[in-house]
Every structure is written in C-alpha cells, then in structure tokens.
Amino acid sequence: KARQWGHERLLFRVIVLGDAAVGKSSLLRCFTDRPGGGPGGTAMPGPTVGVEFYSRTILMPPTGKAKLQLWDTAGQERFRSITKSFYRSAAGVLLVFDLTNRASFEHVPEWYHEAAGDRLPAFVLVGHKCDLVDERAVSAEEAGHLAATLGMAFVETSAHSNLNVELAFQTLAGGIQQALGQGILAPHQGCDGIRLIPNQSHCQPLAWRKPRKRCQC
C-alpha cells in the first residue's frame, strides 16, 4: 500500500553526474546560492576534485519539506572509482550533459547504466548551457527522445541565465517523492538515500535519548 509522505520532513541524497566541464558545479551553485534569483555573474568554478557537497531545503507539496543533500562529482575518468562509491546511497540522480558538446550527450547512456545498478533511483536528464544557442550541438527533440527511452524527464537549463535550474531539481525531488509514495524507495536510517528528519519539538529530553551508532559510510 502506498504511503503519503507529504507531511513529513525528509532528507533526499542526490548525486549529480556527467562528463567533465558540462557545468555540474555551476548548476549546483546556482541552485543553492541563488534560489529563485535572476542571472548571476559568478565566476566559472574550477574542476571538481572527487566529490563536493551542497545542500538546500525545498518545499514539497502538499505541506512538507525536503532537505536535498547534493553531491557534486568529478567527471574525469581518474576520479570514477571515488564517485562510484556514492551511487548506491543516492535516492536521485541529476544526469547532466552540455548542449554544446555532443560527446557529453553520447555518454549519457553509459552514465545512466553505471548509476542505475540493481536499485534504480529517480533520474532527471539535464541539457545544460541552453543559453549558448549558436553553439548548440544537440536538439531538444533528440535529447527528449533519449530521456523518454531511459524513462526519465528532460529539462534544459542555463546556470548563467538561471533558467530552469530550480525546475530541474524540483522535478527530481518530485520523482523521488513519487517513488517514495509507490514504495519503490523507502526511508532508512544510516547511509541510505532517504531519511526522515526528526521534528525537534517531539524529541525526547537529552538525558533520555538513546545513543546513535555512527554512520560508517
């Protein structure tokens, strides 16, 4: 039986994947630093080394909230063994390619199959840098067809213009929430990709709380 989680406060672990230099860090910084804001003139971030972390709490209909714990991964091959270790504990995957770089689009199925494994998290395909119209190398129709083939939504974004950045992350959070309601994903304590965040007003007094085991991830 499906359970409604709309009134709970949840934590969703999200991993952002894709080739190097497709703009994963720019998207994350736009989403966490300029929520709902206009275009920004922030400097281009340098290459990610290993994994970097961001977070932001968003509203989830009808009345709940979700804290997104966002993992920014390095796209370079030499860091692949590090980033792979994070796949199994993610509830959602933002799969990013550069609309001006056809090779990054052609690598999407490889990233997808690598991240899906035997436990399928929620996915959203993101075509980034849509503001660079004259340099575009992948059509919206082609990218949309690939997304449909892989069973995921497709969103075109621009961190430079702050276009659809909010939509991409909200769409992924909605996909996680839907999988949660269908029982495909379930919240667990410890290192898994979805956790319930305790309501502080209902916590036991400090002296009566049981000690928690430390997460070994």
Side-chain angles (χ1 to χ4, degrees):
K1 183 180 178 180
R3 176 178 172 182
Q4 296 298 318
W5 296 93
H7 297 271
E8 308 279 1
R9 186 151 182 251
L10 299 160
L11 182 145
F12 297 158
R13 292 188 178 183
V14 170
I15 190 166
V16 184
L17 296 179
D19 281 9
V22 297
K24 300 186 293 296
S25 299
S26 296
L27 279 172
L28 282 163
R29 293 183 186 185
C30 182
F31 178 66
T32 55
D33 296 344
R34 294 188 278 133
T42 54
M44 185 73 70
T48 300
V49 177
V51 178
E52 295 180 2
F53 298 87
Y54 299 79
S55 69
R56 184 182 148 192
T57 298
I58 62 172
L59 295 176
M60 296 291 291
T63 58
K65 290 183 178 180
K67 181 176 182 179
L68 302 185
Q69 187 182 78
L70 304 157
W71 298 347
D72 180 17
T73 64
Q76 295 97 325
E77 183 66 34
R78 68 181 184 275
F79 294 118
R80 193 69 66 91
S81 61
I82 299 173
T83 58
K84 275 184 178 180
S85 65
F86 289 87
Y87 294 171
R88 61 182 175 274
S89 53
V93 178
L94 206 69
L95 191 44
V96 185
F97 72 94
D98 179 351
L99 285 161
T100 71
N101 180 343
R102 184 153 189 93
S104 70
F105 172 70
E106 292 172 348
H107 294 157
V108 164
E110 178 184 341
W111 283 109
Y112 169 76
H113 291 299
E114 191 172 280
D118 55 2
R119 183 194 60 81
L120 196 65
F123 279 88
V124 169
L125 181 63
V126 172
H128 193 216
K129 306 183 186 180
C130 66
D131 57 296
L132 302 176
V133 178
D134 295 338
E135 301 174 43
R136 189 178 186 118
V138 181
S139 71
E141 292 76 16
E142 188 176 12
H145 176 72
L146 176 60
T149 301
L150 297 175
M152 65 181 76
F154 170 60
V155 180
E156 291 193 355
T157 64
S158 166
H160 178 75
S161 305
N162 199 359
L163 179 65
N164 291 341
V165 175
E166 191 85 10
L167 176 62
F169 287 94
Q170 289 280 359
T171 299
L172 183 59
I176 297 171
Q177 186 183 43
Q178 183 179 8
L180 195 54
Q182 295 171 345
I184 299 170
L185 296 173
H188 297 286
Q189 291 184 346
C191 302
D192 290 317
I194 300 175
R195 284 191 289 137
L196 293 172
I197 300 176
N199 186 332
Q200 296 300 320
S201 63
H202 292 95
C203 284
Q204 295 174 320
L206 186 61
W208 292 97
R209 291 183 198 168
K210 294 181 178 179
R212 287 185 176 183
K213 292 181 179 179
R214 290 183 61 84
C215 178
Q216 299 300 314
C217 58

